[in-house]
Amino acid sequence: MMLQEEILFEDYYRCYCLDRRDVHIMPYEPRNPHAERYVKDKAPDAKLLDTLRDYVLRLNNGLGYDFNTVELAVRAGVPYAIDFCNPAPDADVLSIGEANFDWIVEAAANMAIRRAQAQIPGQDNLTWGEYVAKAVAHQRFASA
C-alpha cells in the first residue's frame, strides 16, 4: 500500500516509456470522459518536457521496466509521479488516438528488433532495474 498526497494539478501528462530510452509525452486530462482524455494541440514548454522525460527515464531505469506508462501531475511547475507501475498500458487506438497509437507501435517494433538483434544464444537476456540490482548487492540506492 502506498499513501499519496492529493495533487491539485494545473497540467497532467501520461508518458509511454519503452526500452528505458524512448519516451512519448502525451498531454492528458483525467477529469474528462474516457474518450476525451488525450489532449490534442497542447505543447508544454521545452524545460517542462525535458523534466518530464528525465523523471520518466529515472523511474523506469530504477524500476527496471522496459514497457511502461508514467502519469505525472504538474502543480506550480513541479511534476509529481502519480501512477508509474503500469507495464501493460492501454494502447488501444480508440482510446489513445491515432498519433499516439502510431508512436507506440513504431517504438515497440523498434525495441523488439533491437532486442532480437542483441540476443546472444544461450545467454539470459533478463535485466533488472537499478533499485533491485542495488538491493541484491546490498548497496544504497541514491538518485542523481
Side-chain angles (χ1 to χ4, degrees):
M1 176 183 247
M2 182 183 303
L3 178 64
Q4 288 182 281
E5 173 188 352
E6 176 185 17
I7 304 297
L8 300 175
F9 58 89
E10 296 96 36
D11 286 313
Y12 200 97
Y13 298 91
R14 188 162 189 259
C15 309
Y16 281 120
C17 185
L18 276 88
D19 215 11
R20 296 186 230 166
R21 64 179 249 179
D22 299 321
V23 177
H24 182 63
I25 299 168
M26 302 168 285
Y28 190 76
E29 178 48 77
R31 298 170 288 207
N32 283 351
H34 188 71
E36 300 170 14
R37 290 185 179 171
Y38 291 89
V39 179
K40 296 178 179 116
D41 303 322
K42 179 180 180 179
D45 66 53
K47 183 179 177 189
L48 180 58
L49 279 175
D50 288 345
T51 301
L52 294 171
R53 185 176 192 284
D54 178 52
Y55 286 11
V56 168
L57 290 172
R58 285 180 193 228
L59 277 166
N60 283 282
N61 280 308
L63 295 170
Y65 286 165
D66 293 317
F67 196 120
N68 191 27
T69 54
V70 176
E71 293 184 16
L72 297 132
V74 180
R75 178 178 68 194
V78 177
Y80 294 86
I82 300 299
D83 180 3
F84 49 87
C85 294
N86 193 5
D90 179 12
D92 186 316
V93 68
L94 297 177
S95 61
I96 67 171
E98 193 169 330
N100 296 325
F101 179 79
D102 290 347
W103 186 92
I104 197 67
V105 169
E106 183 75 19
N110 289 336
M111 179 179 81
I113 291 166
R114 280 192 304 270
R115 293 293 179 95
Q117 291 173 335
Q119 176 60 32
I120 298 170
Q123 190 175 53
D124 189 357
N125 67 347
L126 295 176
T127 59
W128 296 100
E130 293 174 49
Y131 181 77
V132 171
K134 288 187 179 286
V136 168
H138 302 287
Q139 296 174 346
R140 184 168 183 245
F141 184 79
S143 62

